[in-house]
Amino acid sequence: MSLSANGIPAAAGDLAEPSLDPADWDQFRELAHGLLDDMITHIETIRQRPVWQAPAEETRQRFTRPLPNGSRELGEVLDDVRTHIMPFATGNLHPLFMGWVHGAGTPVGMVAEIVASGLNMNCGGRDHAGLVVEQQIVRWMSEALGYPDGASGLFLTGSSMANFVAVTIARTEALGQSVRETGLRGERQLVAYTSAQAHSCIAQAMQLSGIGSANLRLVEVDDAGRMLPDALRAMIAEDRAKGFWPFLVVGTAGTVNTGAIDPLADIADIASRENLWFHVDGAIGALAMLSDSLRDLFKGIERSASVALDFHKWGQVPYDAGFLLVRDGDAQKRTFAQPAAYLQRADRGLAAGETWPCDLGPDLSRGFRALKTWMTIEALGADRIGQSIAHSCMLAHHLAKRLERHPAFELKAPVALNIVCFGIRGSDAEFVRTLVLDLQESGLAAPSWTTINGELVVRCAIVNHRTTTADIDGFMDILTSTLADRGVWS
Ligand SMILES: *Cc1c(COP(=O)(O)O)cnc(C)c1O
């Protein structure tokens, strides 16, 4: 082949046509349909398999090969997927996966992912259906959470990112837009408040935003893990007296340890009197606003300045689908919009549209997360999703009741939503740790542990829409027979 001076082939005929599409579309169609069928069966028969199993040694070895230069038959690649990937997943599709707050996904969400990746839209900006659908979700969430028209919103990977973006907006609104250029200097020290039970990503957001996690005050909580408003008031007064600049309070709607909900209305009062940005970490709980029976628990969320939430948890949308809702859309734009030439707008054509997602957060290129969220809510309906959320809370109470009735167990935290934390009487931390790990490795059930008041306890987070009362009863049987095998409480 002859090359031009810069190494590019001199004539088109010098290379085979380079498209990466399949040479034989019929064969591709057959293979793709086969894999889709297998995935549907995988979900349909999820109960027949272990909740979780560690990747086989052969599988770990399989993924240590050097970069392949040549092509391989697609059918062989798909067989590798069947053999080495599908059996060794996280486990969160299974009804007895209760270790962490992970959503279970749905078949409709899976189909949405085929469409989203097939269309391969870049949802950072420009005028196309992707942005229209995302705006629909912004309006739906505004409606569900009691936000006004004019709120803005954005899909992000998860609530960790959404909380970070919110902290950054609160910082810019406190210090003014010039902080984007000057950085943090010569100002009084900003300080923020959240509860001692808040998720660790709040501290990380303070670190990433340059304010520093030492300037995040952890407000004391009550016995149920909820922020104490009086303690918040006192801390703000003390900081003001010392010359600090309180700018942000983060309430949690469903803590990761126990599902506790901070007194959001009290925090809203304090934030408004003290002129603080009131952000809610609703990663777990905000979508419970879709449930008629749970909505009242979140009173005050409608008065917040921003809410982070995760469709991939209780919303059952496939990973990842984090979301940030911001009351004042202009504030979000003031923090993130960039004047780059290649992002210029037009009044028509592909560059139309005044606000693009890239004006509202740090991502430019981004996928079509809105589609799987829209298809999930559109197909199932908000009522059904709300009912499944309420059902998992009901199951948590059922589990708590069964545990309380058995002499071996004691509850370690009130059940606020869907998380049950319990101890085993007469045991120690090592016993609990071993029990949990053995259960996980047995493939029968996957609880986890957490620490409450310094004590290691078993933690069950019921998030899965597939979990039934019979599953919870089955879990009790697994627990009691495992204890009996160990010669305790038999
Ligand atoms: C899960 C969770 C987060 C983090 O959200 P990701 O989607 O995992 O990034 C933050 N806060 C709480 C309360 C959570 O439960």
Side-chain angles (χ1 to χ4, degrees):
M1 146 171 46
S2 56
L3 296 181
S4 66
N6 60 6
I8 293 172
D14 286 346
L15 272 183
E17 290 299 334
S19 164
L20 302 177
D21 281 335
D24 181 344
W25 283 96
D26 286 338
Q27 187 204 28
F28 176 81
R29 191 183 304 271
E30 199 182 313
L31 290 169
H33 280 264
L35 190 74
L36 176 61
D37 268 340
D38 286 356
M39 266 321 301
I40 293 172
T41 306
H42 181 88
I43 300 173
E44 189 185 9
T45 59
I46 195 73
R47 280 166 200 280
Q48 297 165 18
R49 281 185 299 279
V51 179
W52 171 85
Q53 54 185 340
E57 201 41 51
E58 195 193 335
T59 287
R60 296 191 199 273
Q61 283 304 319
R62 166 66 189 82
F63 294 102
T64 58
R65 294 185 195 172
L67 178 70
N69 290 318
S71 304
R72 214 173 139 214
E73 285 297 329
L74 178 62
E76 288 177 25
V77 178
L78 298 189
D79 284 342
D80 269 358
V81 171
R82 291 179 175 96
T83 309
H84 291 300
I85 295 178
M86 286 166 60
F88 305 114
T90 323
N92 47 322
L93 271 62
H94 195 286
L96 283 185
F97 179 97
M98 305 185 292
W100 295 270
V101 181
H102 285 11
T106 65
V108 66
M110 173 179 76
V111 171
E113 287 288 69
I114 296 178
V115 180
S117 53
L119 292 174
N120 192 32
M121 290 150 86
N122 186 334
C123 293
R126 314 204 196 284
D127 194 16
H128 57 78
L131 272 56
V132 178
V133 176
E134 189 156 349
Q135 281 309 305
Q136 172 73 92
I137 306 296
V138 172
R139 276 190 293 272
W140 281 352
M141 284 304 104
S142 296
E143 197 181 318
L145 299 184
Y147 265 41
D149 291 345
S152 67
L154 186 72
F155 275 93
L156 291 145
T157 31
S159 283
S160 302
M161 278 301 291
N163 285 322
F164 164 60
V165 167
V167 168
T168 310
I169 298 169
R171 179 208 64 176
T172 310
E173 287 302 289
L175 297 177
Q177 224 176 351
S178 63
V179 69
R180 291 177 56 176
E181 285 156 32
T182 61
L184 298 168
R185 58 168 196 197
E187 305 282 355
R188 276 184 299 146
Q189 180 59 56
L190 294 175
V191 288
Y193 305 84
T194 196
S195 95
Q197 287 288 314
H199 194 275
S200 59
C201 69
I202 307 297
Q204 192 189 49
M206 292 288 282
Q207 295 172 354
L208 297 177
S209 62
I211 305 167
S213 44
N215 298 305
L216 178 66
R217 308 281 190 251
L218 299 183
V219 184
E220 202 186 325
V221 296
D222 66 13
D223 287 345
R226 298 170 298 201
M227 186 191 288
L228 286 166
D230 285 341
L232 171 63
R233 257 184 232 109
M235 273 179 148
I236 296 172
E238 194 184 326
D239 279 328
R240 287 207 196 280
K242 287 183 181 159
F244 289 111
W245 184 347
F247 80 109
L248 163 72
V249 57
V250 179
T252 304
T255 59
V256 62
N257 262 343
T258 67
I261 303 162
D262 283 338
L264 302 176
D266 292 341
I267 298 173
D269 287 341
I270 296 170
S272 114
R273 203 169 319 119
E274 299 281 351
N275 194 26
L276 308 186
W277 184 280
F278 173 29
H279 173 69
V280 175
D281 178 2
I284 295 181
L287 286 176
M289 293 289 283
L290 298 178
S291 157
D292 291 336
S293 59
L294 297 172
R295 193 169 298 129
D296 283 351
L297 297 173
F298 300 89
K299 250 192 180 40
I301 199 170
E302 73 288 349
R303 293 165 59 200
S304 59
S306 50
V307 180
L309 62 91
D310 275 334
F311 288 109
H312 55 222
K313 288 180 176 170
W314 247 344
Q316 314 293 346
V317 172
Y319 284 93
D320 45 40
F323 192 77
L324 177 68
L325 192 66
V326 180
R327 175 179 301 270
D328 176 0
D330 292 336
Q332 194 171 5
K333 226 171 145 173
R334 279 193 290 273
T335 302
F336 288 103
Q338 301 279 356
Y342 41 83
L343 299 176
Q344 270 174 15
R345 310 301 147 85
D347 56 5
R348 59 195 184 86
L350 258 163
E354 198 180 317
T355 302
W356 289 350
C358 66
D359 301 324
L360 302 175
D363 294 317
L364 179 52
S365 294
R366 51 203 288 282
F368 195 1
R369 296 186 184 105
L371 181 68
K372 57 193 172 186
T373 307
W374 179 81
M375 278 176 65
T376 301
I377 299 175
E378 188 79 11
L380 301 174
D383 286 352
R384 225 174 123 191
I385 296 170
Q387 282 156 16
S388 107
I389 289 171
H391 183 251
S392 52
C393 295
M394 190 277 282
L395 291 179
H397 284 284
H398 176 69
L399 175 59
K401 247 186 242 131
R402 292 230 28 203
L403 289 164
E404 274 181 314
R405 265 188 277 160
H406 194 290
F409 308 106
E410 58 184 332
L411 286 187
K412 292 295 184 180
V415 176
L417 286 170
N418 59 328
I419 299 175
V420 183
C421 294
F422 62 95
I424 292 138
R425 287 184 209 274
S427 78
D428 59 8
E430 194 44 40
F431 184 90
V432 169
R433 199 188 303 271
T434 308
L435 174 75
V436 165
L437 294 177
D438 287 351
L439 282 172
Q440 291 172 3
E441 288 179 348
S442 75
L444 295 172
S448 67
W449 64 67
T450 190
T451 304
I452 292 184
N453 299 326
E455 190 183 352
L456 197 82
V457 302
V458 186
R459 172 174 175 269
C460 295
I462 302 165
V463 188
N464 194 320
H465 59 90
R466 298 186 179 102
T467 310
T468 62
T469 309
D471 287 317
I472 297 297
D473 291 339
F475 175 62
M476 279 302 293
D477 294 342
I478 292 166
L479 265 181
T480 48
S481 66
T482 308
L483 290 184
D485 288 347
R486 274 148 221 236
V488 281
W489 293 105
S490 46

